[in-house]
Amino acid sequence: MAGGWLDRSRIVAPAGWNRWLVPPAALSVHLAIGQAYAWSVFKPPLEEALGLSGTQSALPFQLGIVMLGLSAAFGGTLVERNGPRWAMFVSTVCFSSGFLISALGVLTEQFWLVVLGYGCVGGVGLGIGYISPVSTLIKWFPDRPGMATGIAIMGFGGGALIASPWSSEMLDAFGSDTDGIATAFAVHGVVYAVFMSLGVWLVRVPADPSPSAAAMARASAGTAAIRVSASTALRTPQFWCLWVVLCCNVTAGIGILEKAAPMIQDFFADTDAPVSAAAAAGFVALLSLANMSGRIAWSSTSDLVGRKNIYRLYLGVGALLYLTLALAGDAATPVFVVAALLLLSFYGGGFATIPAYLRDLFGTYQVGAIHGRLLTAWSVAGVLGPLIVNAIADSQESAGRTGPDLYTLSFVVMIVLLVIGFVANELVRPVAARHHEPQPAPEAAPEPKEATR
C-alpha cells in the first residue's frame, strides 16, 4: 500500500464533491501520454543527427507500445490496490524521466539511451498512466461509464494534436541537430511533469459507499452484484473473446494510421489527381481528429445502444468499409478519405468503449486490473497491423504492382480479421455466477448498551 500523500485514503472525496472534476484530472494525464502518437515528428531529425535507419528510429515508439501493454497488464493490480493518485504519480515520473533520459542519449549520441528512456521507462509511464483513471471514472459515473472513459481516453487520441505542432515548433526554434533535439526532449519532460501533476493533485475517489443520486443507483444496480477478480477473469471465455475483439479492431485501425500518408499518395499516384505531400499531411491530421472524436462519440453512444451493439458497428461496418476501399480502388478520393475517417473513428471508439464493456461483464471490483491485462491485445496489434500492411505492400511493389494493388491484399486480410472479431463479439455472454467473488459482509450494527440501573 502506498503511503502518505499518495495513499488512497488521502483522496477520498468529501461530501458534495463535484464528480465532473475527475475527468479533467484524467485528461491531464492522457493528453500528455498521447504524445506517443506524435513520435514521427522526431524520426527524421533523429535519423539525420544520429545516422539511423527508419527501422531504428521507430524502435523507441515500438518498444513504448509494447511496454504500455506489459506494464498495464502487470501493474493493473497495483493500480487497483494503491489508487489513482499513486498510479498517476508513477506515470508522471516515468513518462517525464523517459524524456530526460532520451535527452541525455541524444546529447551524448548514445541512441540506446533514447530507446531505454522513451521506449522502456517512458513506456511504463504510458501503460500505468493509461489505466490509472479507468476504474475511478467508472465508479464516479455508473450511469454513463462509456461517456466517462471516453472523455479520458479521448485525450490519448488527441494528445498528438497538441504535441505534433508543439514539437515541430521547438525543433524549428532549437534546431534539429543533437543539441536541439536534446533540448526539445528536456522541455517535453519538464512541461509534461508539471501538466500531469495537476491530475495527481486533483483526482479523488468516491467514498465507500459513494453518495449517489437515485438515477445513478438504478444505473449501477445491474452490475453491483458482479464481482470478478482479475485473476479469475483470465479464466473466463468472455475475457478472451474481448481480447480477440480488441486485437482485431486495433489491428484494422492501426494498419491505416501507421502508413496513412504514403498510403493515400500511393493509392492515387497513377490518377489524374495525385495527392501531394501537403495534402497527405492534412489527411493524417483528419485521421487524428477522427480517432479522437470517435473515442467520445461512439463510447457515449454505447451507453444508449449497449456495448455489444456498438462493437457490431465497429467490426461489421468496419469490414464493409474495407471492402469498399478494396472494390473502389482509385476511382474516387472522397470515398477513400471518408472510409478511412470512419475506420479511425471505430479504432478510437473501440479503445474508449472496452473499459465499460469490461465493467458490464466483470463489475467494478478489479476492472482496472482486468483492463490492464486486456491491453496486451494492443501490444500484439501494434506489431501485427503495421507488419501486415508494410510487408504486403513491399512484396507487391517487388512484384511490379502500383497504386491500389499495393494494398488490396492487406485490405482483404483486415476484412477477415474484422469478421473474426465480429464472431468473437457475438460469443460474449454474461459471466457465470461461479466466477463471482462473494459480496463483502455488511458491517454489523453496534450492540445497544445496557441501560444503567
Side-chain angles (χ1 to χ4, degrees):
M1 175 67 72
W5 185 67
L6 299 178
D7 194 283
R8 177 189 284 271
S9 63
R10 300 291 297 273
I11 57 171
V12 175
W17 178 265
N18 188 343
R19 63 175 179 163
W20 289 100
L21 293 174
V22 181
L27 268 175
S28 72
V29 173
H30 273 246
L31 281 171
I33 63 177
Q35 185 279 335
Y37 280 141
W39 174 254
S40 59
V41 173
F42 291 107
K43 278 171 61 69
L46 279 172
E47 290 166 17
E48 185 175 347
L50 300 180
L52 306 173
S53 67
T55 302
Q56 288 174 317
S57 66
L59 278 175
F61 171 78
Q62 290 176 315
L63 181 58
I65 296 299
V66 171
M67 291 302 298
L68 185 158
L70 293 177
S71 60
F74 290 105
T77 303
L78 287 174
V79 172
E80 285 290 315
R81 183 184 307 141
N82 294 332
R85 175 173 283 177
W86 174 89
M88 289 179 176
F89 178 77
V90 171
S91 174
T92 300
V93 171
C94 291
F95 189 65
S96 298
S97 297
F99 271 111
L100 298 179
I101 294 169
S102 298
L104 178 63
V106 175
L107 197 62
T108 59
E109 299 187 13
Q110 299 293 318
F111 183 63
W112 68 270
L113 279 174
V114 181
V115 176
L116 173 68
Y118 190 92
C120 190
V121 178
V124 172
L126 288 176
I128 299 298
Y130 191 88
I131 64 173
S132 61
V134 168
S135 163
T136 302
L137 283 166
I138 287 175
K139 289 171 183 174
W140 273 114
F141 292 87
D143 50 335
R144 286 179 278 184
M147 179 216 67
T149 54
I151 289 173
I153 293 175
M154 175 185 70
F156 192 86
L161 292 177
I162 298 172
S164 184
W166 182 46
S167 301
S168 297
E169 287 293 328
M170 276 197 283
L171 290 172
D172 289 340
F174 301 140
S176 56
D177 57 0
T178 53
D179 288 347
I181 299 170
T183 303
F185 277 160
V187 171
H188 274 72
V190 173
V191 172
Y192 279 137
V194 173
F195 188 66
M196 294 170 75
S197 294
L198 294 175
V200 177
W201 171 76
L202 188 60
V203 72
R204 295 291 186 276
V205 296
D208 190 18
S210 58
S212 60
M216 291 172 61
R218 288 195 299 270
S220 60
T223 57
I226 304 175
R227 287 169 54 89
V228 182
S229 69
S231 58
T232 301
L234 291 176
R235 300 195 294 271
T236 65
Q238 288 84 353
F239 177 89
W240 294 106
C241 283
L242 288 190
W243 194 98
V244 172
V245 165
L246 184 63
C247 187
C248 291
N249 191 59
V250 173
T251 300
I254 209 168
I256 285 184
L257 186 63
E258 189 269 343
K259 202 175 172 65
M263 181 184 290
I264 194 171
Q265 289 179 287
D266 290 340
F267 227 77
F268 299 98
D270 299 330
T271 67
D272 295 333
V275 176
S276 66
F283 173 62
V284 173
L286 284 176
L287 291 181
S288 295
L289 282 172
N291 179 13
M292 179 179 70
S293 58
R295 293 174 186 239
I296 180 64
W298 295 125
S299 61
S300 296
T301 303
S302 77
D303 289 333
L304 303 175
V305 304
R307 276 21 117 174
K308 179 173 281 193
N309 285 332
I310 204 71
Y311 272 96
R312 285 169 174 154
L313 175 76
Y314 300 156
L315 300 160
V317 177
L320 293 176
L321 289 170
Y322 263 116
L323 180 62
T324 300
L325 290 175
L327 295 177
D330 58 6
T333 306
V335 172
F336 181 94
V337 171
V338 171
L341 289 175
L342 283 171
L343 282 166
L344 261 294
S345 75
F346 295 162
Y347 166 82
F351 276 123
T353 310
I354 205 70
Y357 208 162
L358 292 171
R359 172 260 196 187
D360 293 349
L361 291 171
F362 301 106
T364 61
Y365 175 49
Q366 290 190 347
V367 68
I370 298 170
H371 182 224
R373 286 159 171 77
L374 195 78
L375 288 181
T376 54
W378 187 0
S379 296
V380 173
V383 175
L384 191 61
L387 182 64
I388 291 170
V389 174
N390 287 299
I392 291 177
D394 289 345
S395 66
Q396 299 288 47
E397 188 174 13
S398 299
R401 295 184 174 87
T402 60
D405 291 341
L406 294 173
Y407 301 99
T408 302
L409 181 56
S410 62
F411 289 171
V412 172
V413 174
M414 296 303 180
I415 292 170
V416 172
L417 287 173
L418 287 169
V419 170
I420 292 171
F422 188 93
V423 172
N425 183 52
E426 293 302 306
L427 294 175
V428 173
R429 297 289 185 272
V431 177
R434 68 178 182 275
H435 296 301
H436 295 186
E437 296 291 313
Q439 293 291 325
E443 292 184 8
E447 294 183 4
K449 296 179 180 178
E450 293 187 10
T452 56
R453 295 183 183 272

